[in-house]
Amino acid sequence: MSRIFCIANQKGGVGKTTTCVNLAAGLASVGQRVLLVDLDPQGNATMGSGVDKRTLTHSVYDVLLETADIPEACVRSEKGGYDVLGANRELSGAEVELVALERRNERLRAALKAVDAGYDFVLIDCPPSLSMLTLNGLCSAHGVIVPMQCEYFALEGLTDLVNTIKQVHANLNRDLQLIGLLRVMFDPRITLQTQVSDQLKAHFGDKVFDTVIPRNVRLAEAPSYGLPGVVFDPASKGAQAFVQFAREMVIRVSAEVPSNAPGQDHTAASA
Ligand code: ADP
Ligand code: MG
């Protein structure tokens, strides 16, 4: 059975795609079977996995419109060691086309159900908005991973996201939980970042992942080589942090209690 996670934050440039690609490669490097789903029409996670978005025969767009299934539409990131359900600009049209269709929020969920046995982890890279594409992601997932920079305004946007997760949990997907906040692009020399990090821990407790991803130029360089940072320079601090994060995720998942167990509050509300 696969565990499905959305990498979401409605802000752009906070490290969602970098997290998605490197967590996928990190999980693959510790022996997990991984599918990366690119739900952003920019297709950065696709390109960053070494898959050319311009030459895709099928993409996540076909899966949402049910003109292809996932085994048909996905391609292998050979270097990354995981499968990619890619995206390109065509996907921005899906937003409009889906509005008129039935089960419009549940298309991805249904398609993922059919490949449930084939993967240990499914990671969904969401666009920087709370759009219908993001909603398809949230309706498909067991959990949300929120990458964030420890900056002054970081907490502000978080409230909207946490409320969205609560609403999806209440109305559309009882499985959905906020899994955790991942501190990314972290620089411990900057006092403000350390302060915000402490505030996050005080406020969100164990919803803050133990692993911290440092600011590391190798992670930023890797996409231009079509490689996850974890593969591009495995010895770099950034790569090592993502492999550590992959291990943390494997441990979290193996320690999970079924979400319908009595007395367990796994909802976003406990955040
Ligand atoms: P998003 O998907 O949220 O828009 P990205 O993952 O594309 O964010 O990251 C935004 C920019 O920051 C990219 O140029 C990326 O290479 C860079 N970046 C992300 N994480 C790091 C990091 N830990 N260290 C250095 N640069 C990073
Ligand atoms: Mg992105």
Side-chain angles (χ1 to χ4, degrees):
M1 198 189 81
S2 50
R3 300 300 290 165
I4 305 173
F5 299 101
C6 275
I7 319 298
N9 188 326
Q10 72 277 29
K11 288 192 185 179
V14 293
K16 289 182 291 297
T17 300
T18 306
T19 299
C20 198
V21 166
N22 285 288
L23 179 57
L27 285 167
S29 79
V30 297
Q32 303 294 307
R33 299 168 305 158
V34 183
L35 171 67
L36 182 155
V37 178
D38 192 350
L39 265 188
D40 188 338
Q42 290 183 77
N44 292 345
T46 305
M47 297 295 278
S49 299
V51 174
D52 190 343
K53 64 182 179 184
R54 292 157 300 198
T55 59
L56 288 174
T57 316
H58 293 296
S59 69
V60 70
Y61 173 83
D62 298 280
V63 170
L64 290 172
L65 294 189
E66 296 178 341
T67 53
D69 58 20
I70 291 178
E72 261 177 296
C74 77
V75 289
R76 186 80 180 159
S77 167
E78 293 296 342
K79 295 277 169 51
Y82 54 88
D83 286 348
V84 178
L85 181 56
N88 53 33
R89 275 172 50 198
E90 199 179 26
L91 182 60
S92 49
E95 192 88 35
V96 179
E97 288 167 74
L98 280 170
V99 173
L101 301 176
E102 52 186 43
R103 299 178 296 102
R104 59 175 178 260
N105 296 325
E106 291 156 33
R107 299 273 172 134
L108 183 61
R109 182 193 186 119
L112 286 172
K113 204 160 258 169
V115 295
D116 189 48
Y119 300 101
D120 301 306
F121 284 87
V122 177
L123 304 177
I124 304 173
D125 189 27
C126 289
S129 62
L130 298 174
S131 63
M132 196 171 297
L133 291 170
T134 300
L135 208 52
N136 254 278
L138 294 177
C139 285
S140 310
H142 300 113
V144 185
I145 296 168
V146 183
M148 53 189 305
Q149 289 173 257
C150 290
E151 287 174 346
Y152 187 65
F153 289 115
L155 288 166
E156 276 197 353
L158 210 54
T159 314
D160 292 339
L161 183 58
V162 168
N163 284 336
T164 303
I165 294 170
K166 280 185 193 170
Q167 282 189 11
V168 173
H169 175 86
N171 300 307
L172 296 166
N173 177 7
R174 295 300 293 177
D175 291 336
L176 190 70
Q177 327 165 18
L178 172 65
I179 300 292
L181 308 175
L182 178 66
R183 292 162 286 173
V184 299
M185 301 190 222
F186 192 73
D187 185 345
R189 293 167 304 180
I190 301 175
T191 311
L192 177 65
Q193 293 208 3
T194 309
Q195 286 170 348
V196 173
S197 172
D198 290 345
Q199 281 171 11
L200 273 183
K201 284 216 315 230
H203 200 263
F204 286 94
D206 65 4
K207 294 267 183 204
V208 181
F209 289 109
D210 293 333
T211 309
V212 177
I213 309 297
R215 182 172 284 283
N216 181 258
V217 70
R218 303 299 270 169
L219 291 172
E221 288 167 355
S224 61
Y225 296 87
L227 291 172
V230 163
V231 177
F232 175 59
D233 186 356
S236 66
K237 288 241 160 39
Q240 288 180 351
F242 272 114
V243 173
Q244 181 58 36
F245 181 47
R247 293 210 175 91
E248 186 177 351
M249 282 301 296
V250 171
I251 291 167
R252 283 226 179 188
V253 163
S254 58
E256 259 176 17
V257 185
S259 58
N260 57 358
Q264 294 293 328
D265 184 1
H266 283 274
T267 65
S270 62

